[in-house]
Amino acid sequence: MKTRIATLAAAVTFLGAVTASPASADPVPGSPNQFYASCAVDLLGVPVACFETDEAHATHICQYVLTAFGLGLDCIQR
């Protein structure tokens, strides 16, 4: 059961990566790979449906990471 949840969380994270693009998001000062994003959070606390935004409207700070499932989105709540 835990494996299914982890797999689902990774898949949801990957889908979130598809919807977020750091090209026009505000960069995080001092961290060129991170950007501000606004994300909805699922019941497991995993950010989903993320989209790039400016610092004032951001709920998370995100960066792209390579996972076993492909490109993923690693986010922390602000």
Side-chain angles (χ1 to χ4, degrees), residues 3-77:
T3 303
R4 286 187 198 166
I5 292 172
T7 303
L8 177 62
V12 169
T13 301
F14 175 75
L15 291 175
V18 173
T19 61
S21 173
S24 63
D26 286 346
V28 176
S31 299
N33 297 330
Q34 296 180 333
F35 58 94
Y36 292 106
S38 180
C39 304
V41 178
D42 70 5
L43 295 175
L44 299 174
V46 176
V48 295
C50 296
F51 60 92
E52 61 191 37
T53 188
D54 58 8
E55 182 179 4
H57 298 97
T59 59
H60 291 77
I61 296 175
C62 299
Q63 68 181 8
Y64 288 104
V65 294
L66 189 59
T67 69
F69 301 102
L71 186 63
L73 193 61
D74 181 30
C75 296
I76 56 171
Q77 193 168 6

